[in-house]
Amino acid sequence: MPQMNKGGKFIFGKSLIRTDGTLRIPPQAMEEYHIADEGKVYLFTGSKITGGFCVTRKGLLHPSKLGHILDDTPPLLDYSAGFGEFIKYKGRSYCWVEISQEGQILLTKKMMDFLKVRPGMELLSIRSSDIAFTMGAKGPLLEKAENYDGEIPLF
């Protein structure tokens, strides 16, 4: 899995949004973040530049300096908000979805419309921080990935 340039963001791979809305998280991202350990993950809106969404889990988010996000939104903390139902909080929107042990998540049509992604898109899985990784949909990093000479695995 490449770095697009020296000192640049690390790429785990690409994930294809299938026609049924399923998407598979690259295995290396799954291992590094132990993302399927809890059976549920949080998705939140990505940056204006990269779009897409970020992925984390309660065990990473809650004890972090961003744990107040969950404390201030109890329906996310206890998963009582509906599956894939976005809740706005301080400029970003958050939801939870189930994740299989193989790293598969389901994006409903409503979620895809909200996130401005669609079936057939390849999202770039990018290491963002020790709390979350990004599934980027647009911007300069995706353009670099398109022109990258090496191989970026597709999941």
Side-chain angles (χ1 to χ4, degrees):
M1 285 15 112
Q3 271 183 294
M4 294 289 112
N5 51 4
K6 193 171 170 63
K9 293 279 189 179
F10 182 85
I11 307 303
F12 295 112
K14 292 181 183 177
S15 295
L16 174 68
I17 302 176
R18 290 168 174 73
T19 53
D20 63 357
T22 58
L23 171 111
R24 188 159 165 253
I25 304 296
Q28 191 174 355
M30 286 188 53
E31 289 168 28
E32 190 168 311
Y33 291 86
H34 298 277
I35 209 66
D37 286 8
E38 299 164 21
K40 294 180 175 76
V41 292
Y42 295 113
L43 307 183
F44 58 97
T45 47
S47 70
K48 285 184 172 73
I49 293 170
T50 308
F53 55 92
C54 302
V55 184
T56 189
R57 59 181 174 82
K58 187 186 287 187
L60 291 174
L61 184 59
H62 204 223
S64 79
K65 64 184 183 287
L66 300 176
H68 62 88
I69 295 166
L70 295 178
D71 292 332
D72 294 349
T73 55
L76 286 173
L77 179 62
D78 65 12
Y79 306 112
S80 63
F83 175 99
E85 181 184 306
F86 282 95
I87 296 173
K88 269 198 171 324
Y89 179 79
K90 294 189 178 182
R92 294 214 184 195
S93 295
Y94 300 79
C95 76
W96 69 270
V97 296
E98 292 175 347
I99 185 167
S100 72
Q101 285 304 301
E102 299 75 40
Q104 189 166 288
I105 62 172
L106 173 68
L107 302 175
T108 64
K109 178 169 181 354
K110 187 176 177 183
M111 292 170 68
M112 286 190 272
D113 290 346
F114 185 83
L115 294 166
K116 297 179 177 65
V117 297
R118 65 189 183 292
M121 284 180 84
E122 293 177 0
L123 303 180
L124 197 59
S125 183
I126 308 158
R127 181 186 290 141
S128 303
S129 70
D130 57 350
I131 300 167
F133 59 92
T134 299
M135 301 300 290
K138 62 180 183 174
L141 211 48
L142 274 87
E143 290 166 24
K144 274 188 179 160
E146 289 303 315
N147 299 320
Y148 181 69
D149 283 341
E151 187 183 333
I152 300 174
L154 179 65
F155 298 97

